[in-house]
Amino acid sequence: MPAKAPLRAAVERNNLSKATTLLRAGNLQSEENSDDEAASLLVAAMARGHLSMVGVLLDAGATSRPGEGAALLVGAIKADTKEGLALVAPLLRVVDADAVNGHVREWTPLMHAAKVGHVPTAEALLAAGAKVDAAMPTTGGTALMIAVQYAQEGAVAALLAAGAPTEAVDSQGWTALKWAAQVGETKMIGALLAGGASVAPAAAGAGTALSVAVENSRVEAVETLLAAGAKNHLDAVDEQGWTAVGTAAAAGHGRIVELLLGGGGSAAVVAPSTKRTPLMLAAAGGHAQVVVQLLSAAPEQLDAADAQGMTALMAAAKSGHEDAVAALLAAGADSTLTANGMGALELAAKRGAVGVV
């Protein structure tokens, strides 16, 4: 194997003094062009995390080869250090124009800037032609979604100011607002709403940001979304056919159930395929407090049966939830009803739930 050229060897070993001496002697051009198959010296240094060496090479006039620019920018940004981020501006002067929109393992340089939340870097990339609406080829994620997921408020504001589309959806049908609802960051939710994000479902059966906030027990996010108009979409269902009230009932989150019912949500909604009600979901989960809340809002649901003939009392008994069973019996639930020949008593006995029996 032939020996490596002196400058390349110094770069790969991060020998700054040796590299500086060779650069002053004019070795840059000859070594850069000596091996067309090898990566540029800039890439050789960046791939090893030698950020100071990258700076020395840039000062000496080093350039990247076609197709290398995106990796160089991503490497500098991913370092997430003052030294690395300071390299972005000089790199932008030497990489090809397409580099700002190149993908490195799905992500563009702007997406990485959004993740680390460095606004000056994001703005520099945008000024250089980075597409604010670029999406990951496979998952469909955008820089705005990434900024939201990593709770980078400054980056969210900068991307929105640059025209980032708020209604873009990823491969699972989620918008940036849904991701913000999952994270529960009310400031970002407010920024997205001010930027034009919609609280309405993106498509029938896709659920809403409100349902995501409910599922993740984000009380403040629920309050923010309801105040922004989500109460007009409380009948929207998610992929399982549940409304936000049903999701909150299944989770046993009494405060959220209270907010949703107060906002106009229905406790009497029935899932189309299973015919299950929020009361059944709460009972099956043993959430006695929520059982009482739902019965107060929709007492007619007490003995309703699902597609299999199961009532809320049977669901609670089958799972051995004594407090929920007690709440339902106190409300007057009919313990003589059966499904497939078994009633609440038999279901509890089969489980061995002595307290329920």
Side-chain angles (χ1 to χ4, degrees), residues 106-337:
E106 294 272 318
W107 287 36
T108 65
L110 182 61
M111 292 173 187
H112 283 284
K115 177 183 176 180
V116 302
H118 196 257
V119 175
T121 295
E123 291 175 339
L125 292 167
L126 289 166
K131 296 178 181 178
V132 74
D133 59 348
M136 300 179 197
T138 302
T139 63
T142 65
L144 181 60
M145 293 177 194
I146 292 170
V148 168
Q149 291 162 6
Y150 285 89
Q152 300 290 3
E153 293 179 19
V156 168
L159 292 167
L160 287 172
T166 58
E167 298 309 294
V169 295
D170 60 18
S171 58
Q172 65 183 55
W174 279 39
T175 62
L177 186 60
K178 277 193 175 183
W179 285 110
Q182 183 185 65
V183 175
E185 290 285 343
T186 54
K187 288 185 179 179
M188 288 193 299
I189 290 173
L192 289 167
L193 292 170
S198 173
V199 294
T208 62
L210 178 64
S211 62
V212 173
V214 170
E215 184 177 2
N216 289 276
S217 300
R218 305 296 189 184
V219 178
E220 292 184 355
V222 169
E223 292 174 326
T224 300
L225 290 165
L226 286 172
K231 62 178 58 180
N232 297 323
H233 304 282
L234 285 170
D235 59 344
V237 297
D238 61 15
E239 295 83 353
Q240 301 179 67
W242 292 2
T243 64
V245 173
T247 300
H253 205 304
R255 173 55 180 157
I256 291 180
V257 170
E258 179 184 1
L259 288 169
L260 296 172
L261 294 177
S266 173
V269 67
V270 178
S273 58
T274 64
K275 305 301 180 186
R276 304 199 83 188
T277 65
L279 179 63
M280 295 172 193
L281 298 173
H287 308 303
Q289 175 194 347
V290 176
V291 165
V292 173
Q293 288 177 278
L294 294 169
L295 283 173
S296 177
E300 72 280 3
Q301 295 295 311
L302 180 60
D303 290 321
D306 66 12
Q308 296 180 335
M310 295 279 288
T311 64
L313 181 63
M314 293 180 203
K318 181 179 180 181
S319 299
H321 296 309
E322 188 173 344
D323 290 345
V325 167
L328 290 161
L329 289 172
D334 188 345
S335 61
T336 68
L337 297 174

